[in-house]
Structure formats: C-alpha cells, structure tokens
Amino acid sequence: MIMRSSGVAADCGGTRAGRHTSAATFSRPSPNYRSWQCRLVWDHIAAVLAEADLTTRNLAKVTTYLADRRYREANARIRAEVLGDHRPALTIIITDIYSEAWLL
C-alpha cells in the first residue's frame, strides 16, 4: 500500500508498462539467486512507484511472501538497503508459493 501526501491509499499491484515478468522465466543465475530475486522485486516496486511520482518513502505497509524462512536474512538485508531509515509497517509470511522458482 502506498500513502500519497493527501493521505489516500493506493494499491501498487499493477505491472509496469503492461509488462509482466515472472521469476519462472529466469534461470537461476548463481548461488546469489535469493539476493538477485529480492533486488529485482524492489527494482520493480521502485519503477511502479516512480510512474506515480512516488518513492519507497511513500510506502505505508510492505507485505512479503517468502517461500522458505531461510530467505528471511537476504530479504531483511536488501529491504533495509532499499528503504534506509524509512520504516513502513511490515508483514512477512512464510508460505508455499505457486512456482518453485519464486523465492519471494
């Protein structure tokens, strides 16, 4: 969820410029796949926000679905790099994700 300066919440669930890229279309590039996929997700979020003239500082809540709890460290580290000192409400759900290629 994104909070606009007017206080109105907006959903950022759309795709950028009508394109959708699924993790299943990528081969695992290296042992750093977890970090790579997490950075890719944040890059996409930043792109969607930018199209609305927003930044990650406009995020009020972030919900992350992880395929396994062993991915939580990489997720937390990269989220901290991306968000800096901004602290939106966080929910992290460990779940069985539809595609095994999707780690988060």
Side-chain angles (χ1 to χ4, degrees), residues 35-92:
S35 296
W36 173 82
Q37 192 174 112
C38 190
R39 288 183 194 285
L40 179 67
V41 168
W42 279 108
D43 286 349
H44 285 218
I45 291 169
V48 170
L49 290 169
E51 286 184 10
D53 293 323
L54 300 170
T55 71
T56 57
R57 299 209 58 87
N58 296 101
L59 293 172
K61 182 176 187 313
V62 174
T63 301
T64 304
Y65 296 85
L66 297 176
D68 193 291
R69 71 185 55 232
R70 67 184 165 203
Y71 307 136
R72 70 182 189 267
E73 260 186 56
N75 175 60
R77 180 176 39 79
I78 293 166
R79 182 184 63 244
E81 288 174 18
V82 170
L83 296 180
D85 66 351
H86 180 58
R87 299 287 184 254
L90 296 174
T91 302
I92 300 168

